[in-house]
Short mmCIF file of all heavy atoms in Angstrom, two decimals:
data_model
loop_
_atom_site.label_atom_id
_atom_site.label_comp_id
_atom_site.label_asym_id
_atom_site.label_seq_id
_atom_site.Cartn_x
_atom_site.Cartn_y
_atom_site.Cartn_z
N GLU D 21 -5.72 -17.35 -3.66
CA GLU D 21 -6.96 -18.16 -3.92
C GLU D 21 -8.20 -17.31 -3.81
O GLU D 21 -9.17 -17.53 -4.51
CB GLU D 21 -6.99 -19.31 -2.95
CG GLU D 21 -5.82 -20.30 -3.11
CD GLU D 21 -5.92 -21.45 -2.13
OE1 GLU D 21 -6.91 -21.44 -1.31
OE2 GLU D 21 -5.03 -22.32 -2.11
N HIS D 22 -8.20 -16.39 -2.88
CA HIS D 22 -9.34 -15.52 -2.68
C HIS D 22 -8.90 -14.08 -2.89
O HIS D 22 -8.46 -13.39 -1.99
CB HIS D 22 -9.91 -15.70 -1.26
CG HIS D 22 -10.30 -17.14 -0.98
ND1 HIS D 22 -11.41 -17.73 -1.53
CD2 HIS D 22 -9.67 -18.07 -0.25
CE1 HIS D 22 -11.47 -18.97 -1.08
NE2 HIS D 22 -10.44 -19.21 -0.31
N GLU D 23 -9.06 -13.64 -4.15
CA GLU D 23 -8.54 -12.36 -4.58
C GLU D 23 -9.00 -11.20 -3.69
O GLU D 23 -8.25 -10.37 -3.25
CB GLU D 23 -8.95 -12.11 -6.06
CG GLU D 23 -8.44 -10.81 -6.64
CD GLU D 23 -6.98 -10.84 -7.00
OE1 GLU D 23 -6.41 -11.96 -6.99
OE2 GLU D 23 -6.38 -9.80 -7.29
N LEU D 24 -10.31 -11.14 -3.49
CA LEU D 24 -10.88 -10.01 -2.73
C LEU D 24 -10.35 -9.97 -1.31
O LEU D 24 -9.97 -8.91 -0.81
CB LEU D 24 -12.39 -10.11 -2.73
CG LEU D 24 -13.14 -8.91 -2.09
CD1 LEU D 24 -12.79 -7.61 -2.81
CD2 LEU D 24 -14.66 -9.11 -2.14
N LEU D 25 -10.33 -11.10 -0.64
CA LEU D 25 -9.83 -11.17 0.73
C LEU D 25 -8.34 -10.80 0.79
O LEU D 25 -7.91 -10.07 1.70
CB LEU D 25 -10.04 -12.54 1.33
CG LEU D 25 -11.51 -12.92 1.64
CD1 LEU D 25 -11.55 -14.37 2.17
CD2 LEU D 25 -12.11 -11.97 2.64
N ALA D 26 -7.60 -11.30 -0.17
CA ALA D 26 -6.13 -11.02 -0.20
C ALA D 26 -5.89 -9.53 -0.41
O ALA D 26 -5.06 -8.93 0.26
CB ALA D 26 -5.47 -11.83 -1.28
N ARG D 27 -6.60 -8.93 -1.36
CA ARG D 27 -6.40 -7.50 -1.61
C ARG D 27 -6.87 -6.69 -0.43
O ARG D 27 -6.29 -5.64 -0.13
CB ARG D 27 -7.18 -7.10 -2.88
CG ARG D 27 -6.72 -7.77 -4.17
CD ARG D 27 -5.42 -7.18 -4.72
NE ARG D 27 -4.26 -7.43 -3.88
CZ ARG D 27 -3.68 -8.61 -3.78
NH1 ARG D 27 -4.09 -9.65 -4.46
NH2 ARG D 27 -2.61 -8.76 -3.01
N GLY D 28 -7.93 -7.13 0.26
CA GLY D 28 -8.39 -6.37 1.41
C GLY D 28 -7.31 -6.39 2.52
O GLY D 28 -7.07 -5.35 3.18
N ARG D 29 -6.69 -7.53 2.75
CA ARG D 29 -5.61 -7.62 3.78
C ARG D 29 -4.45 -6.72 3.37
O ARG D 29 -3.84 -6.06 4.22
CB ARG D 29 -5.20 -9.06 3.95
CG ARG D 29 -6.23 -9.90 4.71
CD ARG D 29 -5.61 -11.25 5.10
NE ARG D 29 -5.25 -12.04 3.94
CZ ARG D 29 -6.10 -12.95 3.40
NH1 ARG D 29 -7.30 -13.12 3.91
NH2 ARG D 29 -5.71 -13.67 2.35
N ASP D 30 -4.09 -6.78 2.08
CA ASP D 30 -2.99 -5.93 1.60
C ASP D 30 -3.28 -4.48 1.79
O ASP D 30 -2.47 -3.67 2.24
CB ASP D 30 -2.71 -6.21 0.11
CG ASP D 30 -1.99 -7.52 -0.11
OD1 ASP D 30 -1.52 -8.12 0.88
OD2 ASP D 30 -1.90 -7.96 -1.27
N HIS D 31 -4.55 -4.11 1.44
CA HIS D 31 -4.94 -2.72 1.59
C HIS D 31 -4.87 -2.25 3.03
O HIS D 31 -4.37 -1.14 3.29
CB HIS D 31 -6.36 -2.52 1.06
CG HIS D 31 -6.87 -1.10 1.13
ND1 HIS D 31 -7.50 -0.62 2.24
CD2 HIS D 31 -6.79 -0.10 0.25
CE1 HIS D 31 -7.81 0.65 2.06
NE2 HIS D 31 -7.41 0.99 0.86
N GLU D 32 -5.31 -3.07 3.95
CA GLU D 32 -5.29 -2.69 5.33
C GLU D 32 -3.84 -2.54 5.83
O GLU D 32 -3.49 -1.62 6.58
CB GLU D 32 -6.01 -3.77 6.17
CG GLU D 32 -6.07 -3.45 7.66
CD GLU D 32 -6.93 -2.24 7.97
OE1 GLU D 32 -7.77 -1.87 7.11
OE2 GLU D 32 -6.77 -1.63 9.06
N HIS D 33 -2.98 -3.44 5.40
CA HIS D 33 -1.59 -3.40 5.77
C HIS D 33 -0.91 -2.12 5.34
O HIS D 33 -0.25 -1.41 6.11
CB HIS D 33 -0.85 -4.60 5.16
CG HIS D 33 0.65 -4.55 5.31
ND1 HIS D 33 1.29 -4.69 6.49
CD2 HIS D 33 1.61 -4.34 4.34
CE1 HIS D 33 2.61 -4.57 6.32
NE2 HIS D 33 2.81 -4.35 5.02
N TYR D 34 -1.11 -1.78 4.05
CA TYR D 34 -0.46 -0.56 3.55
C TYR D 34 -1.14 0.71 3.97
O TYR D 34 -0.49 1.78 4.11
CB TYR D 34 -0.35 -0.62 2.00
CG TYR D 34 0.64 -1.61 1.52
CD1 TYR D 34 0.24 -2.84 0.98
CD2 TYR D 34 2.01 -1.37 1.63
CE1 TYR D 34 1.20 -3.76 0.57
CE2 TYR D 34 2.94 -2.28 1.22
CZ TYR D 34 2.53 -3.48 0.68
OH TYR D 34 3.46 -4.41 0.28
N ARG D 35 -2.42 0.60 4.27
CA ARG D 35 -3.13 1.76 4.82
C ARG D 35 -2.56 2.12 6.21
O ARG D 35 -2.34 3.29 6.52
CB ARG D 35 -4.62 1.47 4.93
CG ARG D 35 -5.49 2.57 5.61
CD ARG D 35 -5.41 3.85 4.80
NE ARG D 35 -6.25 4.87 5.39
CZ ARG D 35 -6.22 6.16 5.06
NH1 ARG D 35 -5.33 6.56 4.14
NH2 ARG D 35 -7.04 7.02 5.62
N GLU D 36 -2.28 1.12 7.03
CA GLU D 36 -1.70 1.36 8.34
C GLU D 36 -0.28 1.99 8.19
O GLU D 36 0.08 2.89 8.94
CB GLU D 36 -1.60 0.07 9.11
CG GLU D 36 -2.96 -0.45 9.57
CD GLU D 36 -2.86 -1.79 10.28
OE1 GLU D 36 -1.72 -2.29 10.41
OE2 GLU D 36 -3.89 -2.30 10.74
N LYS D 37 0.45 1.47 7.22
CA LYS D 37 1.82 2.04 6.99
C LYS D 37 1.71 3.52 6.54
O LYS D 37 2.53 4.36 6.93
CB LYS D 37 2.59 1.22 5.96
CG LYS D 37 2.85 -0.21 6.41
CD LYS D 37 3.79 -0.88 5.44
CE LYS D 37 5.18 -0.35 5.46
NZ LYS D 37 6.14 -1.17 4.69
N GLN D 38 0.69 3.80 5.69
CA GLN D 38 0.55 5.17 5.22
C GLN D 38 0.16 6.11 6.40
O GLN D 38 0.69 7.22 6.49
CB GLN D 38 -0.56 5.22 4.15
CG GLN D 38 -0.76 6.60 3.55
CD GLN D 38 -1.87 6.60 2.51
OE1 GLN D 38 -2.84 5.91 2.62
NE2 GLN D 38 -1.66 7.35 1.43
N LEU D 39 -0.72 5.63 7.26
CA LEU D 39 -1.10 6.46 8.40
C LEU D 39 0.09 6.74 9.33
O LEU D 39 0.13 7.77 9.98
CB LEU D 39 -2.22 5.79 9.18
CG LEU D 39 -3.57 5.70 8.49
CD1 LEU D 39 -4.57 4.90 9.29
CD2 LEU D 39 -4.14 7.11 8.24
N ARG D 40 1.02 5.76 9.38
CA ARG D 40 2.23 5.97 10.18
C ARG D 40 3.32 6.69 9.41
O ARG D 40 4.45 6.81 9.89
CB ARG D 40 2.75 4.61 10.65
CG ARG D 40 1.83 3.90 11.65
CD ARG D 40 2.56 2.74 12.35
NE ARG D 40 2.98 1.72 11.42
CZ ARG D 40 2.28 0.64 11.14
NH1 ARG D 40 1.10 0.44 11.68
NH2 ARG D 40 2.74 -0.26 10.28
N ARG D 41 2.99 7.17 8.20
CA ARG D 41 3.89 7.92 7.33
C ARG D 41 5.15 7.13 7.01
O ARG D 41 6.24 7.66 6.83
CB ARG D 41 4.27 9.25 7.97
CG ARG D 41 3.09 10.10 8.31
CD ARG D 41 3.51 11.47 8.96
NE ARG D 41 4.16 12.30 7.95
CZ ARG D 41 3.55 13.08 7.08
NH1 ARG D 41 2.20 13.12 7.08
NH2 ARG D 41 4.18 13.83 6.20
N GLN D 42 4.98 5.82 6.86
CA GLN D 42 6.11 4.97 6.52
C GLN D 42 6.24 4.81 5.00
O GLN D 42 7.32 4.34 4.51
CB GLN D 42 5.93 3.59 7.11
CG GLN D 42 6.00 3.59 8.64
CD GLN D 42 5.75 2.24 9.24
OE1 GLN D 42 5.40 1.31 8.57
NE2 GLN D 42 5.93 2.12 10.56
N LEU D 43 5.24 5.16 4.25
CA LEU D 43 5.31 5.07 2.79
C LEU D 43 5.87 6.37 2.21
O LEU D 43 5.65 7.46 2.74
CB LEU D 43 3.92 4.79 2.18
CG LEU D 43 3.23 3.52 2.66
CD1 LEU D 43 1.91 3.35 1.97
CD2 LEU D 43 4.12 2.30 2.43
N GLU D 44 6.53 6.24 1.08
CA GLU D 44 7.15 7.40 0.47
C GLU D 44 6.37 7.84 -0.78
O GLU D 44 6.04 7.01 -1.62
CB GLU D 44 8.58 7.02 0.05
CG GLU D 44 9.33 8.15 -0.62
CD GLU D 44 10.77 7.72 -1.07
OE1 GLU D 44 11.16 6.57 -0.72
OE2 GLU D 44 11.41 8.51 -1.71
N LYS D 45 6.06 9.11 -0.83
CA LYS D 45 5.40 9.64 -2.04
C LYS D 45 6.48 9.87 -3.09
O LYS D 45 7.54 10.42 -2.86
CB LYS D 45 4.74 11.00 -1.74
CG LYS D 45 3.44 10.84 -0.93
CD LYS D 45 2.73 12.19 -0.83
CE LYS D 45 1.41 12.06 -0.10
NZ LYS D 45 0.66 13.30 -0.06
N ILE D 46 6.19 9.37 -4.30
CA ILE D 46 7.16 9.48 -5.38
C ILE D 46 6.56 10.20 -6.57
O ILE D 46 5.32 10.24 -6.73
CB ILE D 46 7.65 8.08 -5.82
CG1 ILE D 46 6.53 7.27 -6.45
CG2 ILE D 46 8.27 7.33 -4.67
CD1 ILE D 46 6.97 5.96 -7.08
N GLN D 47 7.42 10.78 -7.35
CA GLN D 47 7.00 11.40 -8.62
C GLN D 47 6.82 10.31 -9.68
O GLN D 47 7.42 9.24 -9.56
CB GLN D 47 8.06 12.37 -9.08
CG GLN D 47 8.32 13.52 -8.12
CD GLN D 47 7.09 14.38 -7.89
OE1 GLN D 47 6.43 14.75 -8.85
NE2 GLN D 47 6.87 14.77 -6.65
N THR D 48 6.00 10.61 -10.68
CA THR D 48 5.71 9.60 -11.72
C THR D 48 6.98 9.09 -12.37
O THR D 48 7.10 7.88 -12.63
CB THR D 48 4.75 10.19 -12.76
OG1 THR D 48 3.63 10.72 -12.10
CG2 THR D 48 4.31 9.13 -13.72
N ASP D 49 7.92 9.98 -12.67
CA ASP D 49 9.10 9.54 -13.38
C ASP D 49 9.96 8.58 -12.55
O ASP D 49 10.81 7.88 -13.09
CB ASP D 49 9.90 10.69 -13.92
CG ASP D 49 10.36 11.67 -12.80
OD1 ASP D 49 9.76 11.59 -11.71
OD2 ASP D 49 11.23 12.49 -13.05
N GLN D 50 9.77 8.58 -11.22
CA GLN D 50 10.54 7.68 -10.36
C GLN D 50 10.16 6.22 -10.61
O GLN D 50 10.95 5.33 -10.31
CB GLN D 50 10.37 8.00 -8.92
CG GLN D 50 11.13 9.25 -8.44
CD GLN D 50 10.94 9.51 -6.97
OE1 GLN D 50 10.23 10.45 -6.60
NE2 GLN D 50 11.53 8.70 -6.16
N LEU D 51 8.98 5.99 -11.16
CA LEU D 51 8.58 4.62 -11.49
C LEU D 51 9.56 3.99 -12.48
O LEU D 51 9.71 2.77 -12.50
CB LEU D 51 7.17 4.61 -12.11
CG LEU D 51 6.03 4.92 -11.15
CD1 LEU D 51 4.72 5.07 -11.95
CD2 LEU D 51 5.85 3.89 -10.10
N PHE D 52 10.18 4.82 -13.28
CA PHE D 52 11.05 4.31 -14.33
C PHE D 52 12.52 4.48 -14.02
O PHE D 52 13.37 4.34 -14.88
CB PHE D 52 10.73 5.04 -15.64
CG PHE D 52 9.29 4.83 -16.07
CD1 PHE D 52 8.36 5.79 -15.77
CD2 PHE D 52 8.88 3.71 -16.73
CE1 PHE D 52 7.02 5.61 -16.11
CE2 PHE D 52 7.56 3.51 -17.08
CZ PHE D 52 6.62 4.51 -16.79
#
């Protein structure tokens, strides 16, 4: 319902995961 607030919460969530090195860096071709 509130796009900006929702995206902000998502961004904070994934930013924390990135800082904890929980996210995986992938190559472009891995998208497919």
Side-chain angles (χ1 to χ4, degrees):
E21 297 180 0
H22 303 286
E23 181 78 10
L24 185 59
L25 290 177
R27 296 284 66 75
R29 287 192 295 268
D30 285 349
H31 180 272
E32 182 65 21
H33 169 71
Y34 288 105
R35 176 62 176 167
E36 290 178 359
K37 296 188 70 171
Q38 183 180 37
L39 292 174
R40 294 195 297 267
R41 303 181 70 83
Q42 295 177 353
L43 301 182
E44 180 181 354
K45 288 189 176 183
I46 65 173
Q47 300 297 318
T48 306
D49 57 344
Q50 285 181 253
L51 290 172
F52 302 95

